[in-house]
Amino acid sequence: MKTIVIAYLATGIAFLTVDAIWLSTMADMLYRPLLGDKLAPQFDLAPAVVFYLIYIAGIVFFAVMPALDGEGLGKAALNGAILGLVAYATYDLTNQATLRDWPLSITLADIPWGAFVTAIGASAGFLVASRIG
C-alpha cells in the first residue's frame, strides 16, 4: 500500500507540474484564440480536481504498477503514453465529432500532449516508487 501511495503522489506531482506549465503557456496561445467565448469566464476548480484525482489513479493502475511488477521504466513510459493518447483522443475526437466549430488544431495539439504528459507522470511515479516504495 505504501508503494501505491508513493507512486500516486509522485505521479500526481509530476503530471500536475508539467500540465500546469502547458496550460499556463498554451491557454493564451492556443485555447483562448481558438475557443474564445466557448471557454468559461472563470476556471471551475471542482471538476478539474476530480479529473486529476481519477486520471492520476488511472496512470498508477495502468502504467506505474505494471512497471513496478518488474517491467521497468520503459513499460511505465510506454503504458503512460498509450493511456494518454487514448484518453486525450477520446476527449478531443468526441468534441470534434459532436461540437460545432471544435478546432482541429486543438485536437492535433492535445492528443500528442496527452501522450507526452501522461508518459512523464508515469515515468516519474515509477522512478520515485521504485526507489522509495
Side-chain angles (χ1 to χ4, degrees):
M1 184 62 150
K2 175 185 167 192
T3 301
I4 293 172
V5 171
I6 290 168
Y8 187 90
L9 293 173
T11 300
I13 290 167
F15 186 89
L16 289 167
T17 299
V18 177
D19 205 37
I21 293 167
W22 168 265
L23 291 172
S24 64
T25 302
M26 298 308 288
D28 290 331
M29 291 175 49
L30 177 66
Y31 299 106
R32 197 163 314 287
L34 294 173
L35 295 175
D37 62 355
K38 292 180 186 119
L39 291 175
Q42 292 193 356
F43 181 73
D44 191 349
L45 187 60
V49 168
V50 172
F51 162 75
Y52 283 114
L53 290 172
I54 293 169
Y55 193 65
I56 291 162
I59 298 169
V60 171
F61 183 82
F62 290 110
V64 178
M65 294 311 292
L68 288 171
D69 284 339
E71 302 209 29
L73 178 60
K75 184 69 166 183
L78 177 63
N79 284 5
I82 292 168
L83 175 63
L85 180 121
V86 169
Y88 281 64
T90 299
Y91 171 78
D92 280 289
L93 293 173
T94 298
N95 286 343
Q96 196 81 52
T98 61
L99 299 179
R100 206 177 320 213
D101 301 322
W102 182 262
L104 177 61
S105 55
I106 289 181
T107 298
L108 295 175
D110 273 354
I111 293 172
W113 172 252
F116 173 77
V117 70
T118 307
I120 293 295
S123 297
F126 168 78
L127 289 171
V128 172
S130 66
R131 284 169 175 74
I132 299 175

